Amino acid sequence: MEGHSEMGLIGESFDTSNLLGRMRDDEYESRSGSDNFDGGSGDDQDGGDDQPQKKKKKYHRHTPQQIQELEAFFKECPHPDEKQRTDLSKRLGLENKQVKFWFQNRRTQMKTQMERHENMILKQENDKLRAENSVMKEALANPICNSCGGPAIPGQISLEEHQTRIENARLKDELNRICALANKFLGRPLSSMASPMPLPASNSCLELAIGRNGIAGPSNFGMSLPMGLDVGDGVLGSSPMMANMSSRSPMGMMGNDVQMERTMLLDLALSAMDELVKMTQADSPLWIKSSDGRNEVLNHEEYARMCSPYIGPKPAGYVTEATRGTGVVLANGLALVETLMDVDRWLEMFASIVASAATLDVISSGTGGTRSGALQVMLAEIQLLSPLVPARQLSFLRFCKQHAEGVWAVVDVSLDIARNAANLHPLVSCRRLPSGCVIQDMPNGFSKITWVEHSQYDESVIHQLCRPLVSSGIGFGAHRWIATLLRQCECLAILMSTPGTSDDPTVMNQAGRRSMLKLAQRMAEYFCSGICASSARKWDILPIGNLGDDMRIMARKNGDDPNEAPGIVLSASTSVWMPVSRQKVFDFLRSGQFRGEWDMLSNGGPMQEMIRIPKGQEDGNCVSILTANSTDSNVQYLQESWTDASGSMVVYSPINMQSLNVVMSCGDSSFVALRPSGFAILPDGHPVNSDGSDGGGSCLLTVGLQMLQNGNQTSKFTVESVETVHNLISCTIQKIKDALGVA
């Protein structure tokens, strides 16, 4: 139980509702500690026949409201002290003993459920070992020759036939090399071995894993990949990663080819892990001080001498980016490892960086019941909150290894490196060299993280305005990942803490805070998708004709998502340089007092903060509800704002009072329609302080706006709609500049 409570800092690692669904509905569990006798526990209720002179105690069943309150408190504190029990008994109208015995019974029930769950896992492991044993016995009974692929038992084939098979295997290898060479010139895969029967295009592993529209879905993740071969060690055979990353048709692979692919990927993962460990060492000669002494830069000569032979020549037109950073976060190492290896938790933790992600194949789930040795193939889109920087589409291996007690490392490396691909697919503009983090446990539940980001990317696809931001390592570098992790862990720690009693009307209870934060998380996700045009949502980029600026306008037709109103959604975004410090712009935009100076919906007046949910120690890291002071206006905004060393963001969406009341009372927030707009304030890549930070006088301001054209799903966007959203963004930027005194 202690281990699970620690991992709760990162995410819910023990789903009680799912576990209860698998338990037997017997009398003991159905009681769930909610039924009791007045003034005593279950032990006090025996002996009725032996002691007839004693009066039989009255049976008492708790009310649903009492059970709900007790269950909610149990989730936060399973072992209440005497003062907490007394407060609960007074609030619920129960005796102190009743509360005490309820918690005893509930802990006993939880322990029983845990034991049954562990027994079920052990039974599954036992069945898995039995299956592996059977496959290994079968493999020993039918050995295969590594040279020719034929039977390895002597005497079953003639010498002449054996020589023929060896020659056949040699010719197949030669054909594979020719196909790989042709692939470089043709720019598409060329099959070296024809499939025995024609296969439809929908059978590709890429489509099975992430869907035809490129959007990952839970139903797709569970599909069995065509090349998933049980090799007897509890892991799947290596599936083809992507059609554009393979030099031959995956469907035409034979067993030996699959094993060769698996071996190649394992060698790549081990080599990448060794390189990451070298690059994270404090005294590593791979890093030297920059000319101004502010930052660390990679020693490329030393890197070429010490590191992996897998890395081929840098693609033409690509530049190298390498950064390293350290930080101490409020989370234990096991919880952080679980977050990095679980794609859903990883996506939620780094929502402002990772636009979309999917696990294509799990080659190994780890050894000894831990994540050590886990190896998986993943797809991801890494974003920078500006329409002038395209999202980086990556296909990579993720490998986890425990190096010592309390020391873990997780490394990523692009799949194309395994094939020494000098010429990447036209849609890929970045490849990820060995990058990741080393996590070391510290006392009191903290962890020290050393993060390395190393990549090669096509600089020509990045707008001139944002090139300094990216080339400096601020845009996609290690410090951005660490800053985001620090902020998110701090938010989770605050969320897990129990709020004290307060007379402040803006303070919400625990359940209401969770519901509101969940809604704000969905709002921020919608906003980011409208900025970066990732595959998380299907946008069509519209031609804006002679408007003549760097604004990007997109549209999508909404009708399938029940959480949104049907119709056509227009999204407009652009980035501009501001000769004002990032902190000053952030404080101005998040403040309700200055809202009327740039927001036309506020009727030119200030707005008041009705509700505030803190998400960190920084004053601006919060989710809040803003309302207009004017009696003529009935506008409420749901707003989320945050800032850290990597940047700042302010996102808001109109929300009606009826929906707000439902969310605050812990109702379902998924039905609330959101139309987010907001700002991302980023460093401009030109450090001005001695420590290299952007505390001086300039930043990049990204403005994003989403607008529902109308409720008719079949309608099309009009030129007037495009001009309206374009003018609205331009007017907002001008108002901000005027208010901040920018010429």
Side-chain angles (χ1 to χ4, degrees), residues 180 183-184 244-246 310-316 318 414-425 428 431 456:
N183 179 40
K184 293 183 179 181
N244 62 343
M245 304 299 291
S246 177
Y310 277 94
I311 300 175
K314 183 168 62 177
Y318 277 47
S414 286
L415 285 171
D416 64 278
I417 292 178
R419 298 171 175 85
N420 289 328
N423 297 315
L424 301 183
H425 189 276
V428 177
R431 68 174 187 169
Q456 295 171 342

Side-chain angles (χ1 to χ4, degrees), residues 470-524:
V470 177
S471 62
S472 65
I474 301 175
F476 292 97
H479 296 89
R480 185 185 179 201
W481 291 89
I482 290 179
T484 302
L485 184 61
L486 287 169
R487 173 170 50 82
Q488 290 287 72
C489 288
E490 185 180 30
C491 172
L492 290 172
I494 292 176
L495 183 61
M496 294 294 292
S497 63
T498 303
T501 58
S502 174
D503 297 331
D504 188 350
T506 66
V507 176
M508 300 178 62
N509 59 34
Q510 187 83 338
R513 290 196 302 169
R514 290 179 181 272
S515 182
M516 192 69 72
L517 290 176
K518 184 177 180 181
L519 181 62
Q521 180 182 358
R522 180 160 65 93
M523 175 182 66

Side-chain angles (χ1 to χ4, degrees), residues 118-188:
E118 292 173 357
N119 291 338
M120 181 176 61
I121 293 177
L122 291 174
K123 183 178 181 301
Q124 293 174 351
E125 290 290 334
N126 186 35
D127 294 340
K128 178 181 174 182
L129 291 174
R130 289 178 182 273
E132 292 175 3
N133 190 27
S134 299
V135 174
M136 294 171 67
K137 287 182 178 179
E138 183 179 351
L140 290 174
N142 301 282
I144 301 297
C145 175
N146 292 331
S147 300
C148 65
I153 301 177
Q156 290 189 355
I157 59 174
S158 64
L159 179 61
E160 182 180 356
E161 183 179 354
H162 183 68
Q163 294 293 335
T164 303
R165 291 192 177 190
I166 292 177
E167 178 67 13
N168 187 33
R170 187 188 66 80
L171 293 174
K172 286 181 179 179
D173 289 339
E174 183 67 21
L175 179 59
N176 289 338
R177 286 193 292 270
I178 294 174
C179 290
L181 186 61
N183 179 40
K184 293 183 179 181
F185 290 97
L186 296 177
R188 59 180 177 82

